[in-house]
Amino acid sequence: MKNYDLEKRRLVLSAVAIGIVVIYIIRLFALQIASDDYRKSADSNAFLKKIEFPSRGIITDRKGKLLVYNQPAYDIMVVTNEMAGHLDTLEFCKALHITRQDFNKRMLDIKDRNKNPGYSRFTQQSFLSQLSDKDFSAFQEKLYRFPGFYVQKRSVRQYQRPIGAHVLGDVAEVSQSDVEEDDYYQPGDYIGKMGVEREYEKDLRGKKGVQILLRDAHGQIKGRYQNGKYDQKPRPGRDIQLGLDADLQALGERLMEGKLGAVVAIEPKTGQILAMVSSPTFDPRAMIGKLRGKHQHEMTLDPAKPLLNRAIMGQYPPGSTFKTGQAVTYYTEGIVSDSTRYPCHHGFYFKGLHVGCHAHASPVSIVPAISTSCNSYFCWGLYHMLANRRKYKTLDDAMDVWRDYMVSMGFGYKLGIDLPGEKRGMIPNAQFYDHAFKHWNPLSVISISIGQGEVNLTPLQIANLGATIANRGYYIAPHVVRHIQGKNLDKKYMEHHRTKGSVRAYQEVIAGMISSVRGGTCAHAFHPGYSLAGKTGTAQNRGKDHSVFMGFAPVDTPKIAIAVYVENGGFGADFGVPIGSLMIEQYINGKLTPGDAAQADALQKRHISYAFKRPLTHSDSLRLDSIKRVNMIKDSLKQVRQKQDMAEAERMKEAQKKKEAEEKEKKKQPQNDPAIRVEPEELIKQDKKEKDKEDDKKEKEKEKNKDNKDSRKESKDKNKGKDKSKEHEKSKSKGQSKDKSKSKETINRAK
């Protein structure tokens, strides 16, 4: 008979033995194959892999002037496995001029895998970065006393001139997200954070090199492994030439001193950015070294938001500069022609709606409408376009056609500039208004024809509009970089984007812009040395209006198109025109005349007072920007709704009055009198009115005789309402005279 208990014990013991063997095998596999800790430990005992960082590519302007270059710097690296138990901490801290608390904090941060996920005690970790030459020399003499610490040579960015901070950008230590996104980076590496440095990071950074060094049992370096057979040399980054003109950029930043806004200048035939000013700006050299974090924190809290690139991130109403695009649309669609004239009696008046305008000759055609910046002309043009049912089946179809023209001109979407952070602006369409309003009509959206209402553009888009007009109907996507060493630019910066406007329409607009400079709103931009076409804009704002200017020169062979936007600068001629004209003169002639140089100095000193109540955080300021934009749209929609409600209420009142008048006439009309005979009916009504008057007089006389007290009260009431009774009697007498004249005419006709 079998002993089943014994059989079970054997099975259990066998299973336990097999389990132990399997566990050992898995552990050996993990230690020897899956994990590289022991391999690293073994390699670190014999080899030291020293990373050699490449020099970043330099950046120059369009004339070859140096803007950004490299300067050597030194980082202190540590291998924690080598320093444990062998370091004189106090002596080390004295050598680097740091405290013991700083040392402990840095070591804890290095070993914290949340802050430093790539940590390994066998590989080099960054302990201290960007050591100055002086500190490095003092530390290098004592380096042999500090086992586990090494010096890593690298380069940091330096800026030749304190200009173009928003365009050039800066370089800083990588974040954890940068390390996770790209295997190229390790904690302690540097990466471009803004501007060109960020957008062209892969071209500028180059490729890392590595040296494999041999070490003895005591950790001393004995030389290169196999005489450097497996070493890799670093490959320097590509040099980059910008389309920027350094002198023009410097002048723009001078002229915008003490003002909020932006200046963007473009070369029309290539789309290259000649200048991009965002004010206020900052010195790019403040973003270098150990004080970078402090300066960045201060600028983040600054309510003027110097870190914000207003040229591509600011979204503003374009004002009257937008009228040039409207003129192209109306002319191409056949809504207006050379002979089309619209009235302007200090503005646009239609069905109770009024859009104001300044005094000028009336009626006006397309060229003088642009020259004088007539609001009424462009309001009528949009109304006739949206209300045209012969050309467009529905209002939505007409609105979508209008939007297609705007999009073809580069509005409502990103232009694709080679800088991070570009905004798209706002161009409404039929679907937007269908969602915003229950019922809307051409008058509801009339303000978009003059660059107000729901329309928002960036200064870059306004400058691109000037380049498009200069090219007679096409533009090339604006871009900052002109040339990359050993590499071609992206094809999208060579492509021509043709708008829906006709060449003839653009010629009419150019004629209007030339007329504006010769004797219109841009008269102060006139220069005898070259022809200039310009358009001013005064963009309405909750506070003081924004000053805007857009233009290009020379007219026949355009070299520069420019947009100037000054927040709360008032009329376009106050700040926009003088800044724009000086920038154009600087680029075309290469310098300013003595008189214009004096004007530039005066403009530099003209500051605008902005009432900032309290310092704001960067997140608060961005949130306020979005709230402000939403509120502006809400306000415009609210005004349109109020106008619609008022118009609806007036229509209801008129309908009610007509109904009441008809009911009164029916009651007064005798039953036996035929309704078809109009002339006798009017005579009867007139006789009846006269009889009623006589009866009223008799009744009043009886009442006066009956009660003297009542007559006194009535006399007082009459004195109080004397004016009203006079007006009423006048209106009655006018009505009677009109009725008498009508009755005479009808009798004569009957005869």
Side-chain angles (χ1 to χ4, degrees):
M1 186 175 180
K2 288 185 178 181
N3 190 344
Y4 290 100
D5 292 337
L6 185 59
E7 285 290 332
K8 290 180 180 179
R9 288 177 184 176
R10 287 177 180 174
L11 291 173
V12 171
L13 291 173
S14 301
V16 170
I18 293 170
I20 292 171
V21 172
V22 170
I23 291 171
Y24 271 105
I25 292 172
I26 293 172
R27 181 58 180 162
L28 289 171
F29 177 83
L31 290 174
Q32 296 184 12
I33 299 175
S35 175
D36 59 352
D37 288 346
Y38 288 97
R39 180 179 58 82
K40 287 181 179 179
S41 179
D43 288 347
S44 66
N45 291 331
F47 304 111
L48 174 64
K49 291 183 179 179
K50 186 178 180 181
I51 301 297
E52 290 187 326
F53 290 93
S55 59
R56 288 180 73 87
I58 63 172
I59 301 176
T60 59
D61 80 337
R62 67 186 298 109
K63 297 177 182 178
K65 293 181 179 179
L66 190 63
L67 296 176
V68 186
Y69 61 97
N70 301 305
Q71 185 173 343
Y74 305 92
D75 292 350
I76 305 300
M77 312 298 289
V78 60
V79 179
T80 57
N81 188 57
E82 297 177 9
M83 62 158 282
H86 303 288
L87 180 67
D88 186 346
T89 308
L90 292 176
E91 186 69 21
F92 179 81
C93 292
K94 287 180 182 179
L96 288 177
H97 305 290
I98 61 175
T99 64
R100 180 64 183 268
Q101 290 77 11
D102 291 336
F103 175 84
N104 293 334
K105 184 180 182 302
R106 291 177 187 275
M107 294 306 300
L108 289 173
D109 290 342
I110 289 173
K111 295 176 181 180
D112 187 350
R113 294 188 182 272
N114 292 325
K115 296 180 180 179
N116 186 19
Y119 168 70
S120 172
R121 61 194 179 96
F122 302 111
T123 59
Q124 291 186 1
Q125 306 294 321
S126 177
F127 179 82
L128 189 64
S129 60
Q130 297 189 17
L131 216 63
S132 65
D133 292 339
K134 183 179 179 181
D135 293 338
F136 167 71
S137 299
F139 179 76
Q140 190 179 27
E141 294 177 358
K142 303 177 182 179
L143 182 60
Y144 69 94
R145 299 182 184 179
F146 312 128
F149 284 89
Y150 303 90
V151 174
Q152 177 71 65
K153 185 179 178 180
R154 65 167 75 226
S155 59
V156 294
R157 298 302 248 178
Q158 289 292 335
Y159 300 88
Q160 186 72 14
R161 302 174 67 177
I163 60 172
H166 294 98
V167 176
L168 299 174
D170 67 318
V171 176
E173 193 170 338
V174 293
S175 63
Q176 182 55 37
S177 60
D178 295 326
V179 175
E180 293 173 354
E181 290 175 5
D182 195 335
D183 295 337
Y184 177 87
Y185 301 104
Q186 297 295 327
D189 288 355
Y190 291 91
I191 189 174
K193 291 291 185 181
M194 293 168 50
V196 172
E197 296 278 14
R198 180 70 178 183
E199 191 71 16
Y200 290 90
E201 167 66 16
K202 291 184 178 180
D203 294 309
L204 289 167
R205 73 187 183 188
K207 187 177 180 181
K208 293 177 184 176
V210 62
Q211 283 185 5
I212 304 176
L213 305 176
L214 279 173
R215 296 195 297 190
D216 60 15
H218 301 287
Q220 299 297 322
I221 302 298
K222 294 300 181 181
R224 294 186 177 184
Y225 176 64
Q226 293 190 8
N227 295 323
K229 181 180 180 181
Y230 298 100
D231 292 353
Q232 295 179 4
K233 292 183 178 181
R235 188 183 67 194
R238 302 177 189 272
D239 295 340
I240 286 181
Q241 184 183 31
L242 305 183
L244 222 64
D245 186 304
D247 296 330
L248 186 66
Q249 179 74 20
L251 176 63
E253 293 186 9
R254 274 184 55 211
L255 297 176
M256 288 297 291
E257 184 179 306
K259 311 164 190 70
L260 300 182
V263 179
V264 180
I266 300 175
E267 186 178 44
K269 65 179 181 180
T270 63
Q272 295 172 15
I273 299 294
L274 301 174
M276 179 175 284
V277 179
S278 178
S279 182
T281 185
F282 58 93
D283 188 341
R285 292 174 289 194
M287 305 298 280
I288 301 172
K290 298 178 182 179
L291 296 178
R292 180 185 187 278
K294 178 185 175 182
H295 293 152
Q296 186 177 27
H297 181 68
E298 290 173 353
M299 287 188 285
T300 301
L301 296 179
D302 189 340
K305 295 176 285 187
L307 294 176
L308 179 69
N309 188 354
R310 287 173 165 82
I312 61 175
M313 297 179 182
Q315 300 177 92
Y316 305 99
S320 295
T321 58
F322 197 62
K323 293 174 182 175
T324 55
Q326 303 310 293
V328 169
T329 303
Y330 305 157
Y331 197 95
T332 306
E333 282 292 290
I335 305 300
V336 301
S337 63
D338 297 336
S339 60
T340 303
R341 284 174 169 77
Y342 289 128
C344 180
H345 303 291
H346 292 282
F348 171 79
Y349 290 89
F350 190 63
K351 293 185 178 181
L353 179 65
H354 175 222
V355 178
C357 189
H358 55 276
H360 59 79
S362 176
V364 289
S365 59
I366 186 169
V367 171
I370 296 171
S371 175
T372 60
S373 194
C374 175
N375 285 341
S376 180
Y377 183 92
F378 295 97
C379 288
W380 278 116
L382 182 66
Y383 177 80
H384 287 152
M385 179 177 179
L386 298 183
N388 192 334
R389 290 298 160 267
R390 292 182 179 179
K391 191 174 183 66
Y392 315 105
K393 293 182 180 180
T394 64
L395 176 59
D396 283 11
D397 291 341
M399 189 69 200
D400 287 338
V401 169
W402 177 87
R403 177 188 174 274
D404 291 342
Y405 272 87
M406 299 302 103
V407 171
S408 73
M409 295 177 191
F411 307 145
Y413 292 90
K414 295 179 182 180
L415 286 169
I417 189 171
D418 50 348
L419 289 175
E422 182 189 4
K423 301 297 182 183
R424 58 179 290 177
M426 172 64 180
I427 293 293
N429 56 12
Q431 186 178 4
F432 173 84
Y433 287 119
D434 290 340
H435 180 71
F437 305 132
K438 293 180 180 178
H439 303 286
W440 63 283
N441 55 58
L443 295 179
S444 306
V445 300
I446 204 70
S447 59
I448 64 175
S449 64
I450 57 174
Q452 297 289 162
E454 295 72 46
V455 172
N456 277 325
L457 303 182
T458 63
L460 176 66
Q461 290 173 331
I462 300 174
N464 190 63
L465 172 62
T468 304
I469 298 171
N471 290 332
R472 278 65 173 175
Y474 75 89
Y475 69 90
I476 299 172
H479 51 284
V480 173
V481 172
R482 186 183 191 188
H483 175 70
I484 303 175
Q485 181 185 16
K487 185 180 177 182
N488 294 326
L489 284 179
D490 195 317
K491 290 182 180 179
K492 68 179 181 180
Y493 299 128
M494 307 292 179
E495 182 183 356
H496 287 203
H497 298 270
R498 172 64 62 175
T499 72
K500 291 174 68 67
S502 65
V503 175
R504 180 60 190 277
Y506 280 101
Q507 290 172 345
E508 292 291 322
V509 169
I510 291 171
M513 293 174 69
I514 294 172
S515 177
S516 180
V517 173
R518 290 178 177 174
T521 56
C522 296
H524 293 295
F526 177 78
H527 194 281
Y530 49 83
S531 58
L532 190 149
K535 182 73 189 75
T536 58
T538 305
Q540 293 180 3
N541 184 42
R542 290 192 173 189
K544 191 176 180 181
D545 294 340
H546 302 315
S547 179
V548 196
F549 171 76
M550 179 269 292
F552 64 92
V555 173
D556 295 330
T557 56
K559 295 180 180 179
I560 180 173
I562 194 167
V564 180
Y565 206 106
V566 181
E567 295 182 23
N568 307 125
F571 294 110
D574 290 346
F575 283 98
V577 171
I579 291 175
S581 62
L582 289 172
M583 293 282 285
I584 291 173
E585 181 185 355
Q586 169 67 38
Y587 184 71
I588 292 178
N589 295 337
K591 61 180 181 178
L592 299 177
T593 62
D596 289 338
Q599 184 187 2
D601 292 336
L603 268 174
Q604 182 181 358
K605 296 174 183 177
R606 282 182 63 191
H607 293 187
I608 300 175
S609 177
Y610 297 96
F612 297 115
K613 294 182 180 179
R614 64 178 180 82
L616 303 174
T617 63
H618 188 55
S619 58
D620 286 341
S621 61
L622 292 177
R623 185 164 62 254
L624 287 176
D625 278 348
S626 62
I627 291 172
K628 182 179 178 182
R629 226 178 300 120
V630 171
N631 286 338
M632 288 176 67
I633 294 175
K634 284 183 177 178
D635 289 345
S636 63
L637 299 180
K638 186 178 179 181
Q639 289 176 3
V640 172
R641 284 173 183 160
Q642 287 176 351
K643 289 176 183 177
Q644 288 180 343
D645 294 339
M646 290 173 64
E648 186 67 25
E650 288 178 1
R651 285 196 292 269
M652 293 292 289
K653 286 181 181 179
E654 290 177 0
Q656 187 67 22
K657 286 180 182 178
K658 287 180 181 179
K659 190 175 181 181
E660 290 176 356
E662 289 175 357
E663 289 178 354
K664 286 181 180 179
E665 289 178 0
K666 286 180 181 179
K667 288 179 181 179
K668 292 178 181 179
Q669 183 178 355
Q671 295 179 354
N672 297 328
D673 192 26
I676 297 173
R677 296 179 60 187
V678 179
E679 296 92 348
E681 199 173 281
E682 291 179 352
L683 293 172
I684 290 167
K685 287 180 181 179
Q686 185 177 351
D687 295 336
K688 190 175 180 182
K689 287 180 181 178
E690 291 175 356
K691 288 179 181 180
D692 291 339
K693 287 181 182 179
E694 291 176 359
D695 294 337
D696 290 339
K697 288 179 181 179
K698 289 178 182 180
E699 288 177 0
K700 287 179 181 179
E701 289 175 358
K702 289 179 182 179
E703 288 176 357
K704 287 179 181 179
N705 295 329
K706 284 181 181 179
D707 195 348
N708 292 328
K709 292 181 180 180
D710 294 338
S711 64
R712 289 175 185 174
K713 291 180 180 178
E714 288 176 3
S715 63
K716 287 180 181 180
D717 294 333
K718 286 179 181 178
N719 289 330
K720 289 179 181 178
K722 192 173 181 180
D723 295 334
K724 293 182 179 180
S725 62
K726 284 182 179 180
E727 291 176 0
H728 186 63
E729 287 176 2
K730 285 180 181 179
S731 62
K732 278 187 176 181
S733 62
K734 288 180 181 179
Q736 288 174 5
S737 62
K738 287 180 181 179
D739 292 337
K740 286 180 182 180
S741 62
K742 286 181 180 179
S743 63
K744 288 179 182 180
E745 289 177 3
T746 51
I747 290 167
N748 291 330
R749 287 175 185 172
K751 288 178 180 180

